[in-house]
């Protein structure tokens, strides 16, 4: 059983998958940093200086200056600003993955064109029959 497991782990598919997971994690961190540190401040600036991270709804009905203040007071909050950031993050990840897959597909060699189909079996038999009649 140990030998079979070793063979399974050493196959190319498992190693390719492991590399893909590590790369996806790193790419996710880069995109998350981009959304948090560049995209959202840019969007917030054009939305009147709004900080999306602080957008929240306190379930106790009180007003809090920031999300951190609401959490510090122990209020149950719905942090919809963080959810907006997550959705923008998802859209950017989807766009980046689309661009990567599109670029990868361009690098693949096009499939060889199929050879033109010759006459069918029925056509060949018909030609032989006609040739024998002559």
């Amino acid at each position: 059983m140990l030998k079979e497991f070793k063979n399974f782990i050493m196959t190319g598919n498992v190693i390719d998958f492991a590399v893909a997971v590590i790369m996806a994690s790193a790419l996710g961190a880069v995109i998350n940093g981009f959304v948090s540190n560049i995209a959202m401040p840019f969007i917030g600036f054009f939305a009147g200086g709004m900080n999306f991270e602080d957008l929240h709804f306190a379930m106790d009905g009180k007003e809090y200056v920031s999300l951190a203040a609401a959490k510090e007071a122990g209020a149950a909050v719905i942090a919809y600003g963080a959810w907006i950031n997550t959705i923008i993050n998802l859209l950017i990840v989807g766009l980046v993955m689309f661009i990567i897959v599109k670029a990868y597909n361009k690098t693949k060699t096009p499939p060889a064109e199929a050879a033109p189909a010759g006459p069918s079996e029925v056509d060949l038999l018909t030609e032989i029959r006609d040739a024998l009649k002559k």
Side-chain angles (χ1 to χ4, degrees):
M1 188 165 129
L2 185 59
K3 186 176 180 180
E4 288 179 42
F5 180 71
K6 180 183 172 191
N7 289 337
F8 170 74
I9 291 296
M10 298 309 286
T11 61
N13 292 342
V14 173
I15 294 172
D16 291 345
F17 180 69
V19 169
V21 168
I22 292 168
M23 290 299 294
S25 174
L27 181 64
V30 168
I31 291 173
N32 194 27
F34 173 78
V35 169
S36 298
N37 301 321
I38 296 173
M40 292 313 292
F42 184 75
I43 292 169
F45 175 78
F46 286 105
M50 183 183 305
N51 181 3
F52 283 87
E53 282 291 323
D54 275 340
L55 295 177
H56 65 281
F57 174 75
M59 300 293 285
D60 61 4
K62 296 179 184 176
E63 290 290 324
Y64 296 97
V65 179
S66 67
L67 179 62
K71 287 184 177 181
E72 186 176 308
V77 292
I78 297 173
Y80 63 91
W83 185 69
I84 291 171
N85 280 357
T86 303
I87 290 190
I88 292 172
N89 194 353
L90 173 70
L91 293 173
I92 292 173
V93 168
L95 177 67
V96 169
M97 293 307 297
F98 172 76
I99 291 169
I100 289 171
V101 169
K102 189 171 178 137
Y104 172 73
N105 286 338
K106 283 185 180 180
T107 64
K108 291 183 356 183
T109 57
E113 293 186 25
S120 68
E121 187 177 314
V122 173
D123 293 336
L124 290 174
L125 290 172
T126 305
E127 285 182 33
I128 293 170
R129 183 196 65 203
D130 293 343
L132 290 173
K133 281 184 181 178
K134 293 181 183 178

